[in-house]
Structures are given as C-alpha cells and as structure tokens.
Amino acid sequence: MSDALADAAQHSDTSIEIGRRVATRAERRMLIDGDLVAARSGAEFDNVGPATGAVLGATAAADVADMDRAIAAARTAFDTSRWSIDRALRRRCLEQLQSALEAEKELLREELIAETGCPVLTTQSAQLEWPLAEALRYPAGLIDGFEWERVLDGGGLFGERNIRTVVKEAVGVVAAVTPSNFPIEVILNKLGPALAAGNTVVLKPDPHTPWNATRLGRLIVERTDIPPGVVNIVTTPSNGVAGLLGTDARVDLVSFTGSTAVGKLLMRQGADTMKRMFLELGGKSAAIVCEDANPAVIVPTAIGVCVHAGQACAATSRMLIHRSLYDQAVVDITTAYQHVPVGDPADPGTLVGPVVSAAQQERVLTAIDGARCAGAEITVGGGVPAGLAEHLAGGFFVAPTVVAGVDNSADIAQQEVFGPVLVLLPFEDDDDAVRIANDSPFGLAGAVMSRSEERGMAIARRVRTGAFGVNGGMFYGADAPFGGYKSSGVGRQCGIEGFNQYLETKTIARRARRQG
C-alpha cells in the first residue's frame, strides 16, 4: 500500500471530514492579470461534493467583464512581454510550479477527492500522481532540446542561392477549457506544453471542480515568476461567459477537453475568427476478447470500466467477446459486478464513487432505463446502489451496471454514457470484431486480448482509434500523443505532436550573397 493510501486507511476519514478540511483552505478567487481576485460583481457559485450532495463552499462566478479582462491580460502579456521569446524564463517558471505543486500534493489529493468524488485509489494514477510526475516536466524538458529552427538551402530563382529558415513560434493566446472527471490531469497536460511553447493562457475549469484550478492560480502568484497575464484562471458556471473564449478574436487557439457536442459548438464558434482547435472529445471504446485470450483477463478488464464511476473518455465501455466465450463471460462479469466496492471515495477500499453531479446521475440512469425499455437485459445494477452509508444518502451514485442482449446498433452501445455501465457484445471472428469496433461515431481508444501478440497488433492496426492497448499495454504518458479519430476529436495531447499543437510555423527566406 502506498504512503497516501496507508495514511488514508489509518485516519479512516470520510468525505464529510475531508470536505470540511478542504473547505477551510480552498482558494475561492480567480487569477486575472497577476492578481487573485473575486468576481467584479461579487457573485459566487456553490461547489458541491458529489459523494454527499452537500455544498463544500463557494467560488468566484465570473461574468462577461471578468472574462474580457482575462482575455485582454493574456493578449497584452503575449504581445508585449518577453514570455514568448525567453525560453530560460519559461523553463524556470515551469520548474517552480512543479515544486509548488509537489509541496501541496497531499492537500491537492484531498481536494480532488472532495470535489470530483474520485476514489482515493485513483489519485495514485491518472487522477494525480501520473500527471504530477510528467505533465510539466516533459514539456519543460523540451524547451532546450526542441528544434525551434531549421535551415533549408536551395530553391532560388534564376540560379540564385536561396536560404530558408523554418521557425517554430508560439500560437498566441490559448483558451484552455477543462473537464470535471480528471481536472488537474487535463489542466497540467494543457498548461505545460502551452506555456513551454511560449503561449499565454486563459484557463476555464469545469464549474463542478473549480478548486484544484484556483489552487494552481494561488501557487502561480505565490511561488513562481510567471509574469502577470501569462496565466489567467477564470471560474464561472455560465456557458455564455465561457463561450466568449470561442468567439473572441484575441484568442488564437482553443484547447478543449469534454463532450463531442460542445466540441462541435466550439468549432462553429471559432470559424469566424479562424481559430486553431485542439478538441479531445468523447468515446465509446471497444475491448476485444479473442477466443484465445487468457480467460483470467476478462473480469479485470470488465471491472476497469467502473473505475471513477466510469467517468473516463477512454474507458472501454463496449466489451466485444468471442461468441465461444460470451455466455460464460456474461455470468462471470455479472457476478463480479455484484461485488465491486461502491461507496465513500475517501475509503481506500472504494473503487466506484459517485458521478460528478445530480444531473449526470440522472443522465446515466436515463440511458440505462432507455436500454431496458428497448429490450436490453440489465444483468446487474441499473439504479442507485443499495446499502450506502448514511452520510452518502445525498450523493450521486450509480450502481455498476452490465447490459447484455443488445447489438451494436442499440443506443446504449453507440452513445457515451459516462457512468459505470458496460455493454457486452458477441462477435464471430476477427473481421466481425473489427467491424463492430469501428461501427461507432467515436474513435478514441480501444483494447484487444489475445495470446498471440501478432494477432493483437494486427487487430490494433485495423481499429480506427487514436490509442489502443494490446494485452494490457498502457498508452498513457506525457511523451505519448493522445486523441481521437472521427467524433472523438481533432489534434493530440501530449508528446511531440501535442507540443506542436501550441506552435505556429513560419518560413523566412533570404537570398544568399554571391561569392566573389
């Protein structure tokens, strides 16, 4: 057991106790133009803890004037400061921010548990530990080694020598819009490369999980040399205020992680000003279990969909199982789902906590009811879990749910549910599995299990997704590009490809002087 998990087990805190501690030290102010500020109107909105449904505290609620000021500050900082050209400053500031975050890691861990409802177990991986280890360090390390310029010789007219310099430079003002499911992970994986590349940023975190972002703002002010206006953090529950980032001509690039519907809206909004777009959107990924797979991997793969209550865009929420294994797999997975630990996310033994809001709980339950009405077999779950502790009665829980008896055309197999819901589908052979996997509007991730690595790799190359795991291979990492095909998005996060998202390319040509 890790130190953090051991500490949590020793203290046996509940979400109520953690929420109380978090509320006393939460940063409620925004960061605009180098200052921590309340909304000009004085307005605030509630931050609700999803495990209990109780209000944790309040956060500044920006209006149009606040957002305008943040965009203006970012524009001025990019146009007039040395940020975009001073690489040494950028590296130093990212290293300072890294140190500041590490110093408050355990406070941030509790904050994530309280406001996202994520089980403490998940903070040991993609919710906190993984991005904290890599998301800033990797792009900071690129600053010195990246090929910012390259020279091309030749190509002149009339026999003259032509020298062309290809220059990589920052895009400008980046609007970073982040989700509620893995908030600090996405924030750091946007902020790191955007800042390392020399951009300025207006960050708009999800209103369900604002405090991890506002904490970041306080650390920037108190612990780094990041100049005023380079990073602005604007919290708001208003879609209208957030929408300014998609329409304002002073914003050069929108970096968005969230639903496909909102991503399409942002593309339409940004068209008039020809904004660059990075959109990491939804998924309905398939895990393919071949007939030669080790049967022992089936249940763990199925349970993986439940982690963080299924709130992961890359979750393999469709499980395609060879027909020879299908009937037994339905029985085994159903039995396993009856015993998946559901409860207080502060408990180290919990795997499934709440979904993030009452509205999301209703969306998930409605999707399950729709499948049931359409003739699907709900083999386990399908509602609010029974037996929750009294202090969780107001929380937004959904029981781990298995859906069988449908084909891939069913709504439940086509639409992203974003809850602990697994759809089981049989297939006949590899061609059939690939056909079903690709029969989706999405193309974010996927997986295959087979005793033959060659077979697994062949299937991986045929499935139209941006990431894929063979026999448990993990594609996550700050050095590995992540993003989707089709309605799962445009562009890539992380890796060299992700770094290049935040750069423009300029070619400068000069005529070489004649010799002699």
Side-chain angles (χ1 to χ4, degrees):
M1 181 180 289
S2 71
D3 292 342
L5 293 183
D7 184 65
Q10 179 180 354
H11 289 92
S12 299
D13 289 339
T14 68
S15 283
I16 291 177
E17 293 164 323
I18 287 179
R20 287 171 180 161
R21 288 202 299 270
V22 165
T24 63
R25 58 187 180 234
E27 177 55 66
R28 290 162 165 80
R29 297 168 294 178
M30 303 179 289
L31 170 59
I32 300 180
D33 203 12
D35 295 321
L36 298 173
V37 298
R40 286 188 175 182
S41 67
E44 295 183 327
F45 64 97
D46 290 338
N47 190 1
V48 176
T52 63
V55 174
L56 299 171
T59 311
D63 61 15
V64 170
D66 296 306
M67 184 63 80
D68 178 78
R69 182 184 170 208
I71 295 171
R75 184 78 260 166
T76 298
F78 183 79
D79 291 341
T80 65
S81 79
R82 292 186 54 80
W83 180 257
S84 67
I85 60 174
D86 192 336
R87 296 175 198 161
L89 171 63
R90 300 203 301 267
R91 177 157 191 157
R92 183 174 78 248
C93 289
L94 286 172
E95 290 169 348
Q96 290 169 336
L97 185 55
Q98 177 73 39
S99 296
L101 285 165
E102 289 174 354
E104 297 196 3
K105 180 174 73 172
E106 297 311 318
L107 303 180
L108 182 56
R109 190 189 310 277
E110 287 198 338
E111 205 159 59
L112 288 165
I113 294 167
E115 67 175 352
T116 73
C118 67
V120 61
L121 183 68
T122 68
T123 68
Q124 298 298 303
S125 55
Q127 195 65 257
L128 179 60
E129 296 282 358
W130 291 352
L132 191 57
E134 298 183 336
L136 298 184
R137 286 194 177 102
Y138 176 78
L142 285 178
I143 292 174
D144 291 339
F146 186 74
E147 187 180 33
W148 296 97
E149 297 186 5
R150 72 180 191 274
V151 176
L152 308 176
D153 193 346
L157 298 175
F158 309 113
E160 294 178 339
R161 186 178 171 212
N162 202 40
I163 305 297
R164 291 151 295 161
T165 303
V166 181
V167 180
K168 294 287 188 177
E169 57 189 31
V171 171
V173 175
V174 171
V177 184
T178 57
S180 63
N181 58 333
F182 289 86
I184 200 67
E185 189 270 341
V186 178
I187 287 171
L188 295 182
N189 276 311
K190 290 185 186 299
L191 205 60
L195 294 180
N199 300 281
T200 60
V201 177
V202 179
L203 167 63
K204 205 291 292 182
D206 190 283
H208 293 103
T209 55
W211 284 351
N212 61 92
T214 52
R215 172 181 294 275
L216 191 69
R218 176 178 58 75
L219 293 176
I220 287 172
V221 170
E222 295 177 352
R223 301 283 299 277
T224 80
D225 297 324
I226 294 176
V230 168
V231 179
N232 305 272
I233 299 173
V234 182
T235 52
T236 180
S238 167
N239 291 333
V241 173
L244 295 176
L245 295 169
T247 58
D248 195 300
R250 295 169 293 181
V251 174
D252 299 293
L253 181 150
V254 175
S255 179
F256 171 78
T257 298
S259 74
T260 295
V262 175
K264 290 178 178 179
L265 174 62
L266 284 168
M267 289 192 80
R268 291 192 294 269
Q269 289 178 334
D272 285 345
T273 53
M274 294 295 290
K275 293 194 193 311
R276 293 265 297 274
M277 289 281 168
F278 163 57
L279 305 173
E280 197 268 284
L281 308 176
K284 192 70 176 181
S285 302
I288 299 170
V289 181
C290 298
E291 79 279 1
D292 67 342
N294 182 350
V297 308
I298 296 176
V299 166
T301 300
I303 289 176
V305 177
C306 295
V307 175
H308 192 27
Q311 298 171 110
C313 56
T316 48
S317 53
R318 290 183 297 157
M319 196 165 187
L320 281 51
I321 305 170
H322 191 272
R323 192 169 293 279
S324 65
L325 305 175
Y326 180 80
D327 289 343
Q328 186 61 49
V330 172
V331 173
D332 293 344
I333 293 168
T334 297
T335 300
Y337 265 51
Q338 293 170 347
H339 302 287
V340 173
V342 181
D344 195 326
D347 184 338
T350 293
L351 184 67
V352 181
V355 294
V356 76
S357 68
Q360 182 59 23
Q361 181 191 45
E362 180 62 26
R363 281 191 287 269
V364 176
L365 294 175
T366 297
I368 296 170
D369 286 343
R372 184 185 287 113
C373 292
E377 179 187 2
I378 309 301
T379 69
V380 64
V384 176
L388 290 172
E390 184 178 352
H391 71 282
L392 304 177
F396 313 130
F397 290 85
V398 176
T401 300
V402 173
V403 181
V406 298
D407 63 29
N408 196 56
S409 65
D411 286 348
I412 197 71
Q414 289 289 309
Q415 297 173 0
E416 183 177 46
V417 176
F418 226 59
V421 180
L422 176 65
V423 180
L424 302 181
L425 302 165
F427 70 88
E428 303 297 337
D429 55 24
D430 290 4
D431 288 344
D432 193 35
V434 170
R435 178 190 63 80
I436 295 170
N438 286 334
D439 180 19
S440 170
F442 300 106
L444 188 57
V448 64
M449 276 71 71
S450 169
R451 292 185 190 273
S452 167
E453 183 176 302
E454 181 181 4
R455 181 183 185 185
M457 288 295 293
I459 289 172
R461 294 181 188 279
R462 295 174 64 192
V463 178
R464 298 285 293 169
T465 65
F468 207 87
V470 177
N471 291 330
M474 187 178 69
F475 45 75
Y476 183 91
D479 58 345
F482 177 73
Y485 291 19
K486 300 185 282 188
S487 289
S488 287
V490 176
R492 293 294 180 269
Q493 179 170 285
C494 297
I496 294 295
E497 291 81 359
F499 193 68
N500 273 301
Q501 291 282 160
Y502 297 98
L503 293 169
E504 283 283 17
T505 302
K506 177 184 291 181
T507 303
I508 303 172
R510 59 186 173 87
R511 188 174 61 186
R513 293 181 178 179
R514 294 180 181 276
Q515 299 296 320

